[in-house]
Amino acid sequence: MTGDRVRDRADVVGDLHEEVGVSLARCDYRYTAGRRRIVDALADAGKPITLPDILAAAPELAPSSVYRNLDVLERSGVVQRIAAAGAHSFFEFAEPLISHHHHLICIDCGIIEDFRLDDDMERRVDSGLLEAAGKAGFTPLRHSVDLHGYCAACA
Amino acid sequence: MTGDRVRDRADVVGDLHEEVGVSLARCDYRYTAGRRRIVDALADAGKPITLPDILAAAPELAPSSVYRNLDVLERSGVVQRIAAAGAHSFFEFAEPLISHHHHLICIDCGIIEDFRLDDDMERRVDSGLLEAAGKAGFTPLRHSVDLHGYCAACA
DNA sequence: ACTATAATGAGAGCGAGTCTTATTTCCAAC
DNA sequence: GTTGGAAATAAGACTCGCTCTCATTATAGT
């Protein structure tokens, strides 16, 4: 029961680490303890977080190393950066490590949360975007749909 | 003929300036020559541009003044800032000065272009987003749909 | 174990953007 | 017109998120 749930979670996290390890190895990067700590912090958060968030979760890490490793993880397709104006960037797992989703961005406190569109809607959006891209001679790789407004806490 | 076309364009730009002036006045800001130059640069570009772009179009402007005025224009609802990771922010007219649209963002050269979805698609996307926002206790103000990939020049 | 290669950590360095302050411009009242 | 007060400007100092450098340390592969 409780034991099983813990076991399950450990397995899921174990799978995550394995997938990350494979992604890193594909680019000739090593999966070091520091990188594992970053991945743990991202997994624990369950939403996009900033460098200070990561340092708060793993104070033993050197800021410069975290920046470098986030860059390595981004290059390996493990994490994705979300740019914020005049503030810290946010980081979260990239697809396919995390299922396709979009962002709720609070224009007051800056927090970013994930949300999913149902498959039908997602397909329609995607085909609409593909069409628009084709007309513009654009080769699309991915799309992002962000909702800007006030989160439950700031409303 | 040619004269008429020029006249028409001048009228459109005149309307733009008038609208901007009203927006600024509503926030007790003045519509100065420097701010007008920025608005002209944005109008001439017809797509999101950066501070260096604005300075290239209007070298007589002081960078600090342009930054300050972009901030004023953003506060007045005239322009909108588009954050870019580790690079200059992009600026363009906000709605309703420019019709609702989305962005094609080249992940190679960084250029940003506008595109429109047809009204039907836009409505569907919007209702889908509203529903998702409601579930999360989020109060949405606006949405952004960006397509990331390679532009015609970089493909 | 040995060696080549990658990763780390501390701090210097970079650059986009903001703040400060003295000066100038604008508008309105007289 | 002149004058007085409020807003805008310009130049540069400054902040801060982030990257680079480099000496040191850890990690494979042989």
Side-chain angles (χ1 to χ4, degrees):
Chain A
M1 358 183 91
T2 311
D4 288 353
R5 206 148 75 229
V6 169
R7 163 78 59 82
D8 289 349
R9 176 153 201 289
D11 285 352
V12 170
V13 175
D15 288 351
L16 171 64
H17 282 305
E18 193 175 325
E19 283 185 64
V20 171
V22 169
S23 296
L24 285 170
R26 199 152 30 214
C27 302
D28 287 319
Y29 290 125
R30 295 171 185 164
Y31 196 15
T32 63
R35 290 169 187 172
R36 197 173 288 257
R37 295 289 285 119
I38 295 175
V39 168
D40 281 333
L42 290 171
D44 288 347
K47 63 169 188 248
I49 56 176
T50 65
L51 185 106
D53 295 331
I54 295 171
L55 290 180
E60 77 277 14
L61 299 180
S64 61
S65 296
V66 175
Y67 274 119
R68 177 164 19 78
N69 285 329
L70 284 170
D71 190 60
V72 165
L73 289 166
E74 189 178 17
R75 261 192 252 276
S76 312
V78 173
V79 313
Q80 188 191 340
R81 176 193 300 249
I82 306 167
H88 289 272
S89 291
F90 284 76
F91 297 89
E92 70 172 341
F93 291 118
E95 293 175 45
L97 281 176
I98 193 174
S99 65
H100 183 67
H101 64 280
H102 305 289
H103 296 129
L104 299 168
I105 303 173
C106 179
I107 60 178
D108 188 6
C109 70
I111 197 175
I112 302 182
E113 289 179 59
D114 294 349
F115 74 93
R116 267 94 187 159
L117 288 177
D118 64 67
D119 292 351
D120 196 51
M121 175 67 66
E122 193 67 50
R123 258 193 307 276
R124 278 202 297 245
V125 170
D126 211 45
S127 67
L129 291 181
L130 277 176
E131 188 190 328
K135 283 183 191 161
F138 202 86
T139 310
L141 284 187
R142 64 184 185 83
H143 70 253
S144 65
V145 177
D146 301 331
L147 211 50
H148 302 255
Y150 294 100
C151 71
C154 294
Chain B
M1 1 185 80
T2 313
D4 288 352
R5 207 151 71 230
V6 169
R7 163 78 61 81
D8 289 348
R9 177 154 200 288
D11 286 350
V12 169
V13 174
D15 288 350
L16 171 64
H17 282 305
E18 193 175 325
E19 283 185 63
V20 170
V22 169
S23 296
L24 285 170
R26 198 152 31 214
C27 300
D28 288 318
Y29 290 124
R30 295 171 186 164
Y31 197 13
T32 63
R35 289 170 187 171
R36 197 173 287 258
R37 295 288 287 117
I38 294 174
V39 167
D40 281 334
L42 289 170
D44 288 347
K47 64 170 188 249
I49 56 177
T50 66
L51 185 106
D53 295 331
I54 294 172
L55 291 180
E60 76 277 13
L61 298 180
S64 61
S65 296
V66 175
Y67 275 121
R68 180 172 16 80
N69 285 328
L70 284 170
D71 191 59
V72 165
L73 290 167
E74 189 178 17
R75 261 191 251 277
S76 314
V78 172
V79 312
Q80 189 190 339
R81 176 194 300 249
I82 306 167
H88 288 272
S89 291
F90 285 76
F91 297 88
E92 70 173 342
F93 291 118
E95 292 174 44
L97 281 177
I98 193 174
S99 66
H100 183 68
H101 64 279
H102 304 290
H103 296 128
L104 299 167
I105 303 173
C106 179
I107 59 178
D108 189 6
C109 69
I111 197 175
I112 301 182
E113 290 179 60
D114 293 349
F115 73 93
R116 267 96 187 156
L117 289 176
D118 64 66
D119 292 351
D120 196 51
M121 174 68 67
E122 194 66 51
R123 258 194 305 277
R124 278 204 296 244
V125 170
D126 211 45
S127 66
L129 292 181
L130 277 177
E131 188 191 327
K135 282 183 192 161
F138 202 86
T139 309
L141 285 187
R142 63 184 186 83
H143 70 255
S144 66
V145 177
D146 301 332
L147 210 51
H148 303 254
Y150 294 99
C151 71
C154 294

